Amino acid sequence: MGQDIVEDMAAYYVQRAAYYERVYFKPERQVDLRAMEAALPVEFAGRDVLEIACGTGWWTPHAARDATSWLATDLNPETMALARAKALPAGVRFATVDAYRLDAPEAKGPFTAAFAGCWWSHVPLQRLPGWLALLHARLAPGARVVFLDNSYVQTSSTPISRTDAAGNTYQQRTLDDGSEHEVLKNFPTHEQAAAMLGPRAHDLRWQEYTHYWQLSYALR
Ligand SMILES: C[S@@+](CC[C@H](N)C(=O)[O-])C[C@H]1O[C@@H](n2cnc3c(N)ncnc32)[C@H](O)[C@@H]1O
């Protein structure tokens, strides 16, 4: 279920890789970005971290600063090539890993924390419970998990073009070559995200920024 949209999304990010980070230079998002970058390291201090869908590694240098080890993963070598070229803390390693399988030897864990930036929003709602269970199976008891993602802001976000029967929302995006892509992008509320996690998460913290949200919790 939702396999085509998941594959389309992966291909879309390959095509967008070279200029993906433009989105991080939108003037109205700068205050949020600086606050989030500053707040991330403490979540992972002293932990062995699995990063899902690292992309071009915008968050990695900040989040990995005080981690013991950090495995940054993505399905696409094209996006990871940009991340690899960055100045990174010494503990950062990379691996090509499909987030929906997490079956690469490097991703077996157990890790004591996990992080994913702008990934939750792209997972079809009907796949989120299964995907969370897969991720949690790679983590040790008590592991910390942090997700951050975009909030919908009318003046800054691409408009939602449709909603499907499962409640997933979509955007129609145009790349620099003129190609059009329908991209699944969900904007959960605090309550919806917490409901997805259920009792397996405790010490749940939801931080609402103007253009982003961040969810952090510990596994039982
Ligand atoms: C919205 S970008 C997020 C990148 C980065 N984490 C950030 O916040 O800037 C989504 C990323 O998911 C990656 N991706 C798509 N499908 C994937 C999959 N099945 N497994 C792992 N990564 C995938 C894409 O290559 C892309 O880098």
Side-chain angles (χ1 to χ4, degrees), residues 9-10 13 20 24 53-55 59 74-76 97-99 117-118 122:
M9 185 276 222
Y13 280 106
Y20 170 77
Y24 288 117
C54 67
W59 304 104
D74 199 283
L75 181 65
N76 290 319
V97 176
D98 183 344
C118 303
H122 290 300

Side-chain angles (χ1 to χ4, degrees), residues 109-133:
F111 298 88
T112 54
F115 170 68
C118 303
W119 167 256
W120 177 296
S121 57
H122 290 300
V123 180
L125 292 171
Q126 60 273 29
R127 293 188 73 162
L128 255 176
W131 181 74
L132 286 165

Side-chain angles (χ1 to χ4, degrees), residues 75-127:
L75 181 65
N76 290 319
E78 293 85 348
T79 54
M80 268 196 307
L82 291 140
R84 285 177 197 272
K86 292 191 166 150
L88 293 163
V92 177
R93 303 281 178 275
F94 289 90
T96 302
V97 176
D98 183 344
Y100 285 106
R101 302 175 68 90
L102 296 184
D103 57 355
E106 303 93 322
K108 286 272 188 277
F111 298 88
T112 54
F115 170 68
C118 303
W119 167 256
W120 177 296
S121 57
H122 290 300
V123 180
L125 292 171
Q126 60 273 29
R127 293 188 73 162

